[in-house]
Amino acid sequence: MSFDPERLNAQLSGAQSDRLVLRAPSLGDALDLFDATRHPAFNEHLMWAPPDSLADVGRRLQRVIERAQAGACAAFSAIERATGRWVALFRFEPREQASWAELGLWSHPAFWGAGHGEEVTRLAIEQAFSKTELEAVVACAKPQHKVSMRLLERCGLEPIGIAPRAHESGHQVPLMQMLLTRTRWAWLRTESISGWLPGPAEVAEAPAPLHALPGRPH
């Protein structure tokens, strides 16, 4: 069965974990994403140059929204349930293998170190495997980005080798490819090793987006 971004968008909208809820991204999220890019550590491992302005981020986010609406990818903003604050943008992108999808995550530095990135990744993986026929998810990270590598490993993905990818500026960047198959996901969810991935998530209406104040850290 091939990757179906439109179905995934419909199935994951409103999915919740303990602290987060997923909703469709909105252009208002550009304020929070732009604020994230004001942190040097956020930019260090991007595959695109740090933006010069909020308008640059708005155009990038608009392209993501348009691709998701056209069924070219699945995209979600992760919102903190207790406060309505924007935490991250999560995407599933198509791969050359028809039944695989590649996950990607941009999370705001204000939420680093508290497990939010792992929580949204686990939630999205759980929903993707339990509600669609997806056979595998893959992620790519710079090998030297140890935090990302550990996050993906804690979510059940395993390294399968280095592959180059073009940076938007044109140069090649070696990335570690990480893989989680449906078979391994099902095995990780057995009682003998429970806790690796969450159980089925509650689905509820997502809160309205919080429009951040310029310059205010999140």
Side-chain angles (χ1 to χ4, degrees):
M1 196 70 179
S2 59
F3 172 47
D4 186 346
E6 288 185 300
R7 182 179 178 190
L8 203 52
N9 276 318
Q11 293 287 354
L12 268 73
S13 181
Q16 294 190 37
S17 59
D18 289 343
R19 295 177 293 182
L20 304 173
V21 61
L22 303 182
R23 63 154 170 79
S26 72
L27 197 54
D29 299 335
L31 289 167
D32 295 280
L33 182 55
F34 179 67
D35 185 64
T37 66
R38 301 306 88 191
H39 298 253
F42 179 88
N43 299 317
E44 185 179 356
H45 300 287
L46 291 179
M47 295 296 287
W48 41 284
D52 295 324
S53 68
L54 175 60
D56 290 340
V57 172
R59 285 189 290 269
R60 183 176 295 275
L61 185 56
Q62 183 63 41
R63 289 196 296 271
V64 172
I65 293 170
E66 290 173 353
R67 292 186 68 248
Q69 291 175 342
C73 73
F76 309 92
S77 281
I79 306 301
E80 190 174 43
R81 293 171 59 185
T83 65
R85 295 166 70 192
W86 184 91
V87 176
L89 181 70
F90 187 96
R91 287 187 293 172
F92 280 115
E93 294 280 353
R95 292 277 295 191
E96 59 273 14
Q97 299 91 342
S99 59
W100 291 23
E102 180 171 334
L103 61 86
L105 177 70
W106 296 334
S107 61
H108 197 288
F111 294 93
W112 291 357
H116 291 79
E118 181 176 343
E119 189 168 328
V120 67
T121 302
R122 287 172 179 257
L123 174 61
I125 288 173
E126 171 70 15
Q127 295 290 286
F129 278 133
S130 63
K131 294 186 175 179
T132 77
E133 291 75 29
L134 202 64
E135 288 300 323
V137 295
V138 64
C140 295
K142 294 181 179 179
Q144 64 269 33
H145 194 186
K146 301 302 182 184
V147 173
S148 289
M149 294 290 292
R150 286 196 297 270
L151 184 155
L152 294 170
E153 288 171 349
R154 288 197 300 269
C155 291
L157 285 84
E158 297 181 300
I160 57 173
I162 298 287
R165 180 164 296 183
H167 191 278
E168 282 192 7
S169 64
H171 65 280
Q172 296 289 312
V173 179
L175 298 179
M176 177 64 73
Q177 294 191 93
M178 309 283 289
L179 177 69
L180 175 62
T181 64
R182 174 177 289 276
T183 300
R184 176 170 167 80
W185 165 77
W187 175 71
L188 289 173
R189 293 180 75 245
T190 61
E191 288 188 9
S192 60
I193 47 175
S194 61
W196 277 80
L197 295 174
E202 175 189 2
V203 175
E205 183 177 354
L210 176 70
H211 297 291
L213 297 176
R216 181 167 66 87
H218 296 279

